[in-house]
Amino acid sequence: MKTVEQLEAKLAEPTERLVKDLASVDGDIVVLGVGGKMGPSLARLAMNAIREGGLNKRVIGVSRFSNAEARQELEEAGVQTVSCDLLNDEELRRLPQAANVIYMAGNKFGTTGREHFTWAMNTYLPGRVAETYKDSRIVVFSSGNVYPFSAVGSGGVSEDTAPEPLGEYAQSCLGRERIFEYFSHQHGTPMVMYRLNYAIDMRYGVLLELARAVQEGRAIDLTMGHANVIWQGDANEMALRCLTRCTNPPQIVNVTGPETMSIRWAAGEFAKRLGKEAAFTGTESPNALLSNASKAHQWFGYPRVSLLQMIDWVAEWVQAGGTTWNKPTHFQERKGKF
């Protein structure tokens, strides 16, 4: 993959399993917050699966659409778009109903100093959405940040681990889940809480940040010495397939790759591919923000794209000077300040 067009096409390749699962759930799919990092590729993936399966479904993407070009690209891919400020109750009520909702709206970066907006987006808005779509299935995008740090050798925390969110962003993410959970009990709405960390494509993510640091000769802080990553295409497919797993009360599922990835090791792999030396500062902590996604892999199988394949692709992208987004993950953050 050398161009954004090739990357987008790769991200939107459906599997037979996805086509089969979407065929098994009735109704259209509304994607709330489609304008974010993952939303456009998720919507295109859903459309391609619908076409491939000859399914009678619409994909409706909802966002403020501050980027007109992104909206046009979605329309060209067959996604119906609706411009909406979800925090505006009048606009929210006018949205089309659908049997299936993928809830991707939220706020993370810039939380510090705008805590009120983060809580409005992540905890107030879910209640309004849950009331609006009480008769739908809802897959709620959440975050592994709701968990406590775990020992590096533990394999990460499972869904049975009690949340211990650190900082206001993570607290508001747990708030999002609890509000959706409340309305699920009130209305019998089937849901899945989809706890993700960290999705990557070549334009953003933990691996890109490591590759660019190696390429530019910048020292990599090893204090958060381990992380989980998953290819965005695999994460999007699992989100859509979660529509078949919505229950009342809601299910919880961790979504990430199978490895506890060493930051030092990954930087070394990039150094080999880029012909550079990796530089480091600090030492690895004995714990990190790590999730165990065995349940997701039992449901959906292992991710199609392996960790080494992701490293190869990202290294090639960086060498070629590919387009990147200025959307850092802050995966190094150990005090919950985003």
Side-chain angles (χ1 to χ4, degrees), residues 65-186:
F65 287 114
S66 53
N67 184 337
E69 183 181 350
R71 183 176 190 177
Q72 181 180 344
E73 288 172 356
L74 283 173
E75 292 276 1
E76 289 171 355
V79 178
Q80 297 182 29
T81 62
V82 179
S83 179
C84 175
D85 177 358
L86 293 172
L87 283 171
N88 183 312
D89 272 357
E90 194 173 308
E91 293 184 26
L92 179 61
R93 283 195 299 269
R94 288 202 299 263
L95 290 177
Q97 286 294 314
N100 306 287
V101 175
I102 307 289
Y103 183 82
M104 307 182 81
N107 186 62
K108 179 177 183 179
F109 305 120
T111 295
T112 302
R114 296 187 74 214
E115 290 85 355
H116 59 283
F117 179 71
T118 296
W119 282 92
M121 282 297 296
N122 293 355
T123 307
Y124 166 76
L125 177 59
R128 310 305 304 135
V129 168
E131 288 274 38
T132 301
Y133 287 102
K134 65 181 185 295
D135 298 319
S136 305
R137 302 176 195 89
I138 308 177
V139 176
V140 178
F141 266 63
S142 187
S143 169
N145 284 89
V146 301
Y147 288 124
F149 290 177
S150 58
V152 168
S154 69
V157 297
S158 75
E159 294 84 357
D160 295 327
T161 302
E164 289 184 36
L166 180 64
E168 291 209 38
Y169 164 67
Q171 291 165 13
S172 72
C173 287
L174 181 58
R176 173 199 295 142
E177 291 190 16
R178 294 301 190 219
I179 295 298
F180 269 116
E181 184 182 11
Y182 169 78
F183 283 103
S184 176
H185 284 278
Q186 285 291 101

Side-chain angles (χ1 to χ4, degrees), residues 96-335:
Q97 286 294 314
N100 306 287
V101 175
I102 307 289
Y103 183 82
M104 307 182 81
N107 186 62
K108 179 177 183 179
F109 305 120
T111 295
T112 302
R114 296 187 74 214
E115 290 85 355
H116 59 283
F117 179 71
T118 296
W119 282 92
M121 282 297 296
N122 293 355
T123 307
Y124 166 76
L125 177 59
R128 310 305 304 135
V129 168
E131 288 274 38
T132 301
Y133 287 102
K134 65 181 185 295
D135 298 319
S136 305
R137 302 176 195 89
I138 308 177
V139 176
V140 178
F141 266 63
S142 187
S143 169
N145 284 89
V146 301
Y147 288 124
F149 290 177
S150 58
V152 168
S154 69
V157 297
S158 75
E159 294 84 357
D160 295 327
T161 302
E164 289 184 36
L166 180 64
E168 291 209 38
Y169 164 67
Q171 291 165 13
S172 72
C173 287
L174 181 58
R176 173 199 295 142
E177 291 190 16
R178 294 301 190 219
I179 295 298
F180 269 116
E181 184 182 11
Y182 169 78
F183 283 103
S184 176
H185 284 278
Q186 285 291 101
H187 301 306
T189 307
M191 299 182 185
V192 166
M193 305 300 173
Y194 174 99
R195 293 177 176 169
L196 172 67
N197 61 305
Y198 286 96
I200 73 113
D201 75 24
M202 275 86 87
R203 294 163 295 188
Y204 80 99
V206 174
L207 296 182
L208 174 67
E209 291 166 28
L210 296 178
R212 290 181 68 179
V214 170
Q215 179 83 329
E216 296 164 12
R218 290 184 282 110
I220 295 165
D221 184 359
L222 290 175
T223 312
M224 185 75 88
H226 297 79
N228 305 124
V229 295
I230 184 171
W231 174 243
Q232 182 179 302
D234 287 320
N236 280 339
E237 172 168 321
M238 290 183 188
L240 289 165
R241 294 181 68 197
C242 276
L243 290 168
T244 67
R245 297 283 178 165
C246 292
T247 58
N248 174 260
Q251 296 249 33
I252 298 170
V253 65
N254 296 340
V255 177
T256 194
E259 301 92 353
T260 296
M261 182 186 74
S262 159
I263 299 300
R264 185 188 295 273
W265 170 83
E269 292 297 309
F270 282 120
K272 287 190 284 188
R273 288 159 176 76
L274 298 171
K276 304 279 186 175
E277 290 288 330
F280 303 103
T281 184
T283 56
E284 290 92 338
S285 299
N287 59 16
L289 183 69
L290 299 168
S291 293
N292 185 315
S294 297
K295 181 176 177 178
H297 303 154
Q298 181 184 37
W299 283 1
F300 305 126
Y302 283 100
R304 285 182 297 166
V305 180
S306 68
L307 177 54
L308 280 176
Q309 180 65 80
M310 287 186 269
I311 288 173
D312 285 344
W313 284 346
V314 171
E316 291 167 1
W317 193 262
V318 169
Q319 279 182 316
T323 299
T324 60
W325 294 334
N326 183 29
K327 295 183 177 180
T329 61
H330 296 284
F331 77 90
Q332 309 93 331
E333 177 57 50
R334 294 185 64 85
K335 295 184 178 180

